[in-house]
Each structure stands twice: as C-alpha cells, then as structure tokens.
Amino acid sequence: DAKTTQPNSMESNEEEPVHLPCNHSTISGTDYIHWYRQLPSQGPEYVIHGLTSNVNNRMASLAIAEDRKSSTLILHRATLRDAAVYYCIPREMDSSYKLIFGSGTRLLVRP
Amino acid sequence: DSGVTQTPKHLITATGQRVTLRCSPRSGDLSVYWYQQSLDQGLQFLIHYYNGEERAKGNILERFSAQQFPDLHSELNLSSLELGDSALYFCASSSLAGISTDTQYFGPGTRLTVL
C-alpha cells in the first residue's frame, strides 16, 4: 500500500482559501489519488480524485505535482461546515479498490 | 444523505456476546465494504463483497464474518465480543468493483459498545 503523509492538523479562517497537502512518494503510476473527508459524527464522504492533471469540482480543487509524489486539496473559501478530517488516499489497482485511510488532517475553521 | 442505511445506530452489549450489524447499499450498487473506526486504530478496511461474493479481506478478525445477500444488503456478524471491539462500524457501497475511479458512499455507522 502506498504510504501517505499529511499534517495532523491545520487551521483556517472562514471564507479564506485552505491548502491541504499530502505526500505520497511511493505511489505507483496507475494509482488515482482520492480525497475523502469525515465531518464530526458522520461517515466519510468523497471529495475529489485525480490521476495526473489538476481537477476541479463543486467542492474543491485538486492539484497534483508533476512527479505525482504529492498533491494538494484546495478549498477555495472555507466555511464552518468544512471543519472535518481530510484523508488523502492513493487508490491501488487491485480487484477491490478498498480505501486505505491514514491518519488524515483535522481542519479547524475559525469564524 | 448518502443513500446507504445502517442499523442499528447504537448497540450496547456485553463481552462474549454476538451481534449482527446490517447495511443496505444505495439502490443499484453492487459493492459493499465494511470498515471499523476505533480511537487507537483509525479507519480500517475489514471486508468487501461484490454481488454476493467476497472480493477482499482486510484486518478482519476470525471472530467476525460477513455476507451479502441476493437483495444486496449485507450483514457483519461479530461474535465472542471483547472490550476492544467497541468501535464505529461503517458500511460503504459503490456501483462497481475493480474500478479505481469508483466513489464509495458511506452510511452513518453503527456505534458498538462492549461492556
């Protein structure tokens, strides 16, 4: 399994952009990078995924380094509802595509 | 609301007992995954079923077993319960298996407390 390194915690002010980094230096060339988040007292929820190029959706943007050894999840304007634990997950190519969660980054959003 | 339902929401039982957790996937989803979240181990993959067949096993104890029924709902059976089995158990579903871009949708979880 590809190992990931994320900061334990980060803080942001409401309505400011947040950049959540992830190192995944052992990722293989075919592994997609997925991000999930877990809001307090809820199950994890999908945020975004990508392979090589940058990706945008209504929740966030994903910037992937050219060598694919790191990626950054970008929340363009953090809201209080974005306070959660964010997990970066390289999705390995196997018969199951199970999610292997690391310890994630706990994001605190200040009003 | 992810469309995945789990019952019960809370379960309190004693050591040595057996419990069954139930998961109903989103309509049309063929894959069901089970995960355990404890304070010391974080979120860990337990087992994956696709259309009734076991696809992958993770850190699932021999005292635990699961199955997926023809109507695609799944049950996780935990027996000879120990204090350390106290955790949140999540079920997730996805439409396919073997696709690296497939999204997993998680249920609200079952909180198991073993006294």
Side-chain angles (χ1 to χ4, degrees):
Chain A
D1 298 335
K3 300 282 188 241
T4 59
T5 303
Q6 297 180 254
N8 286 335
S9 63
M10 292 183 66
E11 293 187 19
S12 172
N13 294 319
E14 199 175 9
E15 299 195 3
E16 288 186 359
V18 182
H19 291 234
L20 299 165
C22 178
N23 279 318
H24 32 75
S25 58
T26 60
I27 195 170
S28 75
T30 54
D31 294 352
Y32 275 79
I33 299 151
H34 288 247
W35 284 77
Y36 280 71
R37 71 180 185 181
Q38 187 174 19
L39 278 65
S41 304
Q42 295 189 26
E45 66 175 353
Y46 166 80
V47 178
I48 200 167
H49 73 271
L51 184 63
T52 55
S53 54
N54 296 345
V55 184
N56 301 295
N57 67 19
R58 64 173 179 81
M59 287 180 71
S61 295
L62 178 60
I64 301 171
E66 205 170 320
D67 63 6
R68 290 188 13 98
K69 293 183 186 297
S70 65
S71 61
T72 301
L73 180 71
I74 303 163
L75 306 179
H76 295 286
R77 290 182 65 203
T79 68
L80 296 178
R81 195 191 172 277
D82 291 322
V85 179
Y86 288 78
Y87 298 96
C88 156
I89 305 172
R91 199 92 176 265
E92 293 196 4
M93 197 177 212
D94 63 16
S95 63
S96 172
Y97 294 99
K98 57 190 176 291
L99 295 173
I100 305 297
F101 289 86
S103 52
T105 296
R106 182 174 298 278
L107 176 65
L108 172 67
V109 180
R110 290 185 292 256
Chain B
D1 184 1
S2 67
V4 178
T5 59
Q6 291 187 247
T7 56
K9 278 191 175 179
H10 302 277
L11 199 47
I12 302 174
T13 188
T15 55
Q17 295 299 305
R18 173 190 169 94
V19 296
T20 297
L21 313 184
R22 182 187 169 104
C23 169
S24 292
R26 291 188 325 152
S27 177
D29 281 359
L30 299 176
S31 270
V32 171
Y33 300 79
W34 286 96
Y35 295 85
Q36 178 193 56
Q37 186 171 33
S38 60
L39 281 174
D40 55 345
Q41 296 288 328
L43 264 163
Q44 291 208 308
F45 165 72
L46 294 179
I47 198 163
H48 169 208
Y49 277 84
Y50 175 72
N51 204 19
E53 292 188 5
E54 182 185 301
R55 272 296 182 101
K57 265 187 175 179
N59 299 322
I60 187 166
L61 299 171
E62 285 192 14
R63 300 183 285 108
F64 296 1
S65 65
Q67 54 183 329
Q68 185 180 27
F69 295 87
D71 67 353
L72 301 177
H73 91 271
S74 178
E75 292 180 357
L76 180 66
N77 300 296
L78 316 176
S79 61
S80 303
L81 285 168
E82 302 176 0
L83 295 178
D85 298 328
S86 295
L88 267 169
Y89 291 85
F90 289 105
C91 159
S93 75
S94 69
S95 56
L96 301 169
I99 303 292
S100 63
T101 57
D102 205 17
T103 296
Q104 290 189 19
Y105 296 88
F106 283 76
T110 292
R111 181 174 295 279
L112 173 66
T113 302
V114 182
L115 301 175

